[in-house]
Amino acid sequence: MRIVCIGGGPAGLYFGLLMKKLHPEHSITVVERNRPYDTFGWGVVFSDATMEAMKIWDPESAAEIQDAFNHWDDIEVWFKGTRQRTSGHGFVGIGRKKLLNILQRRCEALGVELTFETDANSDLEYPDADLIIASDGFNSKIRNRYPEVFQPDLITRPNRYIWLGTHKLYDAFTFDFRKTDHGWFQAHIYKFDDQTSTFIVETTEEAYEKHGLGELDQQGSIDFCQDLFSEVLDGAELMTNARHMRGSAWLNFNRLICGKWSHFNGQSHVVLMGDAAHTAHFAIGSGTKLAIDDAIELTNQFNRLGHDKGKIPEVLEAYEEIRRVDVARIQNAARNAMEWFEVVGRRYADTLEPEQFMYSMLTRSQRISHENLRLRDANWLEGYERWFAGKAGMVSTTNGRCLPPMFTPYTVRGVTLPNRIVMSPMAMYSAKDGLIDDFHLVHIGSRAMGGAGLVFGEMTCVSPDARITPGCLGLWNEEQAEGWRRLVEFVHINTPAKVGIQLGHAGRKGSTKLAWEGTDQPLDDGNWPLISASALPYLKHSQMPKAMDRADLDRVLTDHIRAAELAATTGADWLELHCAHGYLLSSFLSPLTNTRTDEYGGDHAARARYPLEVFRAIRAVWPDEKPISVRLSCHDWFDGGNTPEDAAIFAAMFKEAGADMIDCSSGQVWKEETPVYGRLFQTPFSDKIRNEVGIPTIAVGAISEADHANSIIAAGRADLCAVARPHLADPAWTLHEAAKIGINTVPWPKQYYAGKTQYETNLAREKQAAATGVK
Ligand SMILES: Cc1cc2nc3c(=O)[nH]c(=O)nc-3n(C[C@H](O)[C@H](O)[C@H](O)COP(=O)(O)OP(=O)(O)OC[C@H]3O[C@@H](n4cnc5c(N)ncnc54)[C@H](O)[C@@H]3O)c2cc1C
Ligand SMILES: Cc1cc2nc3c(=O)[nH]c(=O)nc-3n(C[C@H](O)[C@H](O)[C@H](O)COP(=O)(O)O)c2cc1C
């Protein structure tokens, strides 16, 4: 085969040398516009996994690269006068120049033709090539020739950064955060050879503008950074190696994803590789790793399917299919980490204490969890757990393990929860006339006995016509309040848990069948009239709701007050106002469902007016010493609907009205929504609201392990974690999760103690069997 790699970066060179090594009869040329052994760029970071693969594919170059590697384990964070360090993070770095020189030499030794100082303008310049590798980097001319084929999706990120270097050598991956009059700057610093460290400085567009960095030449920017980071530089100077760039050297990161990676141009097959196909932000490592992994996979597919011209289409398809998955995984983690650095100034740096700030930074990609940090540096993590427990008012003991964050108590107003786990409200559709009966007593009671710190009953409707289904709980009469009293008393006598009541009104989603008879489907008979912010049915065939008039608004307000007054007589500890999921109050908040032209429709203040009136009214009759949370749909997942930005605005309004917490859910507002599900998928909304609005939050949604809850609470992404479906599978979810992470000091109900020891012993045995392979 005749192969031409356009671009002699890591991707083109490594692919060239691998293919030549495996099949010397291939004719391979790498075309590079720069001069030989002339490249720029500071250090690049590799993972151990990539290095292991390189050892297998080409031990010769791998040995040279490994010799030149710098390995370091520690991360150090400089923040507000503190220096914190943790270990066990394992990075390897190498100078880009060094890496490329090793690969160039290896290419020459194997007989790959290297053509330097040649700017390839088009793939059509190589008509005799069977395969053209577009390894010409992020600005790939080759990719840009076929936008309709490759479908590049480019997003320019808001932060500005500058690549600099210094001769000061750091023995840890160092992050330094500095506040200026115009905002925060951060430096990402790592040593990559025995003389040099990479020093990337990053800030927001706003700070960049206000400091006039765009008007400075490179020396001006260097002087600015040197002055700002003088403490960490300790007299060392910063340098640039991008003197070829005109004007400001501050860049914006561009995230690139391509819809397709290969194309037949009529003469040759063209395939994208490395930065030409995808980019990953430097916040979690370098694109070099991805470029090398691409080169290895394409070679692997030729080995698997045959080093033959005829196989090229099949090879390219398999290469794209496999690499796409890995690239997406890394790009996801890179996105989380990148976003953390984009919001760090306005979200975390001014609010979190240094210890929590460090934890938040370490877990920024959300690939590193609480237990993962324990594996890396148990001492550091236990120190952090002690710090966190101390903040929650616990006296830490020196013997025995400190309780991890999810098991620390939490106090709001006069209510102290024994831990941070909440059984989320879940409609059971099993009530008659809205009454709590034995089913609810056993259902909620057993979850309280199972260790959750706060157990919510399902959405409890404020009037008969406020119900979603005929099976929903209600609180509009004394008999219903009596049912709650019995439940609350049971929980308080038998468990340390607190009880929450979620008040709600179904609005346009009311008068429907029980879930197992058809979720959201209108009743066949016995329907009651519906009301909503506007006259818009939920499903096309749903009943048409009436847009609420003044009398409706007044009546429903009174219904909420009556329900809150009744709730106050039950001894329940916590009230939640349901303003999510498309029910009545949510229908006012969303522009999709609120098209009113009176004072209750329009901008944020108008749409929130009625929900806030209801909130203030129930706050006035609910005991002062007890909290009220508000559940919001923080994302409508539909164009034109509310986004997390809107939710933050509403959260600030509820905070101002006296809400104690925002329970951060999402969706179910608009039938055609397209939510993006996944592990902890709603936690970013909680993180945003808690740390930007400054109100405590409950995170909810696909939180299914202690490790998830500990990571969220420890990082300050929420104060409490609500767990719904896992509680349906396991009433004792909290107690079982404690045992699974080796915590045996969380009390079980005294009647169940014999079960506790056996459960813990069996888990320990299973763990040992898994570790040793002996059952
Ligand atoms: C200048 C520079 C500095 C970098 N510094 C760092 C760093 O310090 N740390 C880090 O982690 N990552 C750094 N990166 C990013 C990282 O190196 C890339 O993710 C990685 O190099 C991707 O490899 P690649 O082979 O796909 O592309 P690149 O490394 O970008 O290589 C593309 C090559 O193609 C050549 N080329 C482009 N167009 C043509 C053309 N028309 N004709 C001929 N040749 C062409 C370019 O000169 C370049 O050598 C840097 C990237 C660049 C371009
Ligand atoms: C069966 C069921 C009923 C639910 N009913 C309610 C409800 O009454 N009120 C409410 O706010 N959310 C309700 N939800 C949503 C949950 O409280 C929770 O937000 C959602 O299930 C995501 O959490 P999970 O991933 O832990 O299940 C319900 C969820 C389920 C599975």
Side-chain angles (χ1 to χ4, degrees):
M1 276 189 291
R2 166 106 180 92
I3 301 172
V4 176
C5 303
I6 298 181
L13 290 170
Y14 202 60
F15 179 71
L17 79 81
L18 288 186
M19 289 293 281
K20 190 72 185 172
K21 173 183 161 151
L22 288 165
H23 280 264
E25 69 278 14
H26 292 325
S27 149
I28 303 180
T29 306
V30 177
V31 182
E32 168 58 46
R33 65 181 172 200
N34 290 328
R35 285 177 302 182
Y37 301 97
D38 170 27
T39 178
F40 28 81
W42 301 107
V44 297
V45 182
F46 270 23
S47 70
D48 287 348
T50 303
M51 200 58 238
E52 287 309 308
M54 289 174 88
K55 277 187 206 158
I56 295 167
W57 284 91
D58 186 44
E60 288 82 352
S61 58
E64 262 198 274
I65 290 167
Q66 199 154 20
D67 267 0
F69 259 154
N70 279 268
H71 184 272
W72 68 100
D73 260 335
D74 292 4
I75 293 182
E76 186 167 291
V77 175
W78 294 47
F79 179 62
K80 291 185 180 165
T82 64
R83 279 172 74 171
Q84 302 176 77
R85 192 181 265 248
T86 111
S87 200
H89 300 282
F91 302 97
V92 282
I94 186 172
R96 174 175 161 92
K97 217 173 193 170
K98 184 105 189 176
L99 172 70
L100 292 188
N101 290 171
I102 292 170
L103 299 181
Q104 286 165 355
R105 266 200 307 276
R106 182 75 179 132
C107 276
E108 284 171 340
L110 289 165
V112 174
E113 192 187 327
L114 301 181
T115 309
F116 289 100
E117 297 179 76
T118 305
D119 201 334
N121 280 311
S122 160
D123 46 308
L124 299 176
E125 289 172 13
Y126 305 93
D128 58 337
D130 301 303
L131 178 63
I132 293 176
I133 308 292
S135 48
D136 50 345
F138 165 70
N139 289 313
S140 173
K141 279 189 197 160
I142 309 302
R143 183 197 65 229
N144 290 342
R145 280 177 45 81
Y146 305 105
E148 64 297 337
V149 177
F150 294 124
Q151 303 155 43
D153 170 13
L154 253 182
I155 297 179
T156 300
R157 301 302 307 191
N159 267 13
R160 291 279 181 167
Y161 70 95
I162 184 167
W163 286 102
L164 298 171
T166 175
H167 287 312
K168 180 170 167 62
L169 302 178
Y170 296 83
D171 63 350
F173 201 130
T174 303
F175 294 92
D176 186 9
F177 296 82
R178 297 278 153 181
K179 191 171 188 173
T180 70
D181 290 345
H182 301 307
W184 286 85
F185 282 69
Q186 57 263 10
H188 310 232
I189 316 165
Y190 52 95
K191 175 180 134 185
F192 64 86
D193 65 21
D194 52 10
Q195 291 165 27
T196 339
S197 301
T198 299
F199 201 106
I200 306 168
V201 179
E202 186 187 7
T203 191
T204 59
E205 181 74 19
E206 191 188 353
Y208 164 84
E209 294 260 325
K210 288 194 173 153
H211 281 286
L213 297 174
E215 282 107 63
L216 298 180
D217 61 10
Q218 294 209 26
Q219 193 54 48
S221 289
I222 287 177
D223 293 344
F224 174 87
C225 293
Q226 230 161 249
D227 188 39
L228 184 58
F229 292 103
S230 58
E231 194 183 345
V232 76
L233 280 166
D234 193 24
E237 291 188 349
L238 289 173
M239 335 175 256
T240 175
N241 58 9
R243 296 270 179 214
H244 61 290
M245 285 173 71
R246 281 188 299 274
S248 158
W250 292 82
L251 306 170
N252 289 88
F253 174 73
N254 288 296
R255 196 283 277 123
L256 170 72
I257 294 174
C258 286
K260 182 139 183 47
W261 294 17
S262 66
H263 170 58
F264 183 67
N265 69 11
Q267 296 163 347
S268 323
H269 292 277
V270 181
V271 64
L272 306 179
M273 189 180 278
D275 271 14
H278 45 66
T279 55
H281 191 260
F282 53 79
I284 63 155
S286 89
T288 309
K289 169 196 151 48
L290 287 178
I292 296 279
D293 290 346
D294 283 355
I296 290 176
E297 190 54 47
L298 188 55
T299 312
N300 182 40
Q301 290 305 327
F302 273 114
N303 275 3
R304 198 173 69 84
L305 296 162
H307 280 252
D308 184 282
K309 280 181 208 176
K311 295 286 182 191
I312 293 177
E314 209 182 327
V315 165
L316 298 187
E317 210 165 291
Y319 154 76
E320 177 176 335
E321 195 181 317
I322 291 180
R323 288 303 296 147
R324 197 177 271 291
V325 177
D326 190 41
V327 167
R329 194 174 52 79
I330 299 230
Q331 281 184 324
N332 270 346
R335 188 201 54 225
N336 291 339
M338 170 186 74
E339 284 175 357
W340 192 91
F341 285 109
E342 286 170 1
V343 300
V344 60
R346 71 165 191 269
R347 194 179 286 181
Y348 310 115
D350 289 324
T351 51
L352 300 184
E353 292 187 52
E355 290 82 354
Q356 193 162 39
F357 183 84
M358 170 92 164
Y359 187 102
S360 173
M361 202 213 69
L362 291 172
T363 54
R364 65 192 180 277
S365 74
Q366 280 163 51
R367 282 209 303 178
I368 295 178
S369 70
H370 197 73
E371 291 310 315
N372 198 269
L373 283 174
R374 197 184 308 283
L375 292 177
R376 288 165 189 245
D377 189 346
N379 273 343
W380 179 83
L381 189 76
E382 280 165 25
Y384 182 71
E385 287 182 336
R386 269 193 297 281
W387 176 86
F388 193 96
K391 287 272 149 192
M394 296 178 87
V395 184
S396 63
T397 51
T398 40
N399 53 351
R401 247 175 84 181
C402 177
L403 282 179
M406 70 183 258
F407 294 108
T408 60
Y410 187 79
T411 301
V412 53
R413 295 195 186 233
V415 173
T416 297
L417 306 180
N419 63 54
R420 310 296 187 101
I421 298 303
V422 177
M423 177 174 84
S424 202
M426 278 184 284
M428 292 287 110
Y429 313 104
S430 300
K432 278 197 195 76
D433 301 325
L435 280 169
I436 281 196
D437 64 14
D438 289 352
F439 170 81
H440 303 94
L441 179 72
V442 173
H443 168 63
I444 299 171
S446 57
R447 271 75 190 167
M449 290 176 77
L454 171 64
V455 285
F456 266 110
E458 66 200 72
M459 173 167 125
T460 300
C461 307
V462 297
S463 62
D465 69 332
R467 289 174 301 167
I468 312 168
T469 74
C472 288
L473 281 184
L475 195 44
W476 59 83
N477 64 36
E478 174 52 32
E479 198 186 350
Q480 292 159 341
E482 187 51 36
W484 274 101
R485 265 173 229 134
R486 179 170 166 242
L487 168 71
V488 172
E489 196 181 2
F490 172 86
V491 172
H492 284 172
I493 288 175
N494 292 288
T495 83
K498 304 292 177 197
V499 179
I501 301 180
Q502 185 190 49
L503 293 184
H505 188 301
R508 72 206 268 265
K509 293 175 84 176
S511 191
T512 60
K513 295 181 179 177
L514 308 184
W516 44 90
E517 289 171 1
T519 305
D520 298 328
Q521 296 305 318
L523 289 170
D524 293 332
D525 45 55
N527 280 292
W528 54 86
L530 299 183
I531 50 173
S532 188
S534 300
L536 296 165
Y538 183 59
L539 305 173
K540 283 194 184 74
H541 59 282
S542 296
Q543 218 188 124
M544 177 66 82
K546 173 189 168 203
M548 289 171 79
D549 60 20
R550 185 70 255 168
D552 298 319
L553 293 166
D554 293 343
R555 178 177 66 83
V556 173
L557 183 75
T558 312
D559 291 343
H560 276 89
I561 295 171
R562 180 185 56 217
E565 284 170 341
L566 284 168
T569 69
T570 66
D573 307 280
W574 192 294
L575 213 54
E576 177 161 285
L577 185 62
H578 201 335
C579 296
H581 302 168
Y583 296 117
L584 186 76
L585 298 179
S586 161
S587 77
F588 278 85
L589 295 176
S590 173
L592 296 170
T593 49
N594 182 344
T595 56
R596 297 175 74 101
T597 52
D598 63 1
E599 72 266 39
Y600 294 106
D603 62 9
H604 291 99
R607 300 205 305 275
R609 192 182 310 279
Y610 187 62
L612 285 169
E613 283 174 11
V614 172
F615 176 81
R616 288 201 181 92
I618 63 168
R619 185 61 269 180
V621 298
W622 180 245
D624 254 2
E625 68 282 7
K626 295 185 182 181
I628 308 186
S629 53
V630 174
R631 185 165 254 209
L632 292 180
S633 278
C634 297
H635 204 321
D636 287 349
W637 304 110
F638 194 80
D639 272 355
N642 283 328
T643 65
E645 291 299 326
D646 301 301
I649 294 171
F650 294 132
M653 292 174 176
F654 280 108
K655 175 187 174 188
E656 204 265 330
D660 297 290
M661 270 203 180
I662 303 296
D663 186 350
C664 301
S665 186
S666 76
Q668 298 173 57
V669 169
W670 195 247
K671 198 62 199 167
E672 287 75 33
E673 65 183 1
T674 50
V676 181
Y677 294 120
R679 192 169 53 98
L680 320 186
F681 74 111
Q682 294 171 154
T683 300
F685 313 145
S686 160
D687 185 2
K688 179 181 174 70
I689 287 175
R690 180 178 192 271
N691 295 304
E692 286 184 17
V693 178
I695 181 168
T697 56
I698 305 176
V700 64
I703 298 169
S704 53
E705 297 172 13
D707 199 23
H708 297 160
N710 279 323
S711 308
I712 292 169
I713 291 162
R717 297 193 167 96
D719 298 273
L720 304 177
C721 284
V723 174
R725 289 164 298 171
H727 267 122
L728 297 182
D730 182 359
W733 185 86
T734 307
L735 298 180
H736 288 164
E737 285 299 311
K740 285 182 201 163
I741 56 166
I743 298 291
N744 55 16
T745 47
V746 173
W748 283 36
K750 54 185 179 294
Q751 300 87 339
Y752 295 175
Y753 254 81
K756 176 176 188 286
T757 316
Q758 188 197 37
Y759 188 78
E760 287 164 356
T761 310
N762 286 346
L763 277 179
R765 278 201 196 115
E766 273 172 35
K767 223 179 197 171
Q768 203 182 2
T772 58
V774 181
K775 296 221 170 158

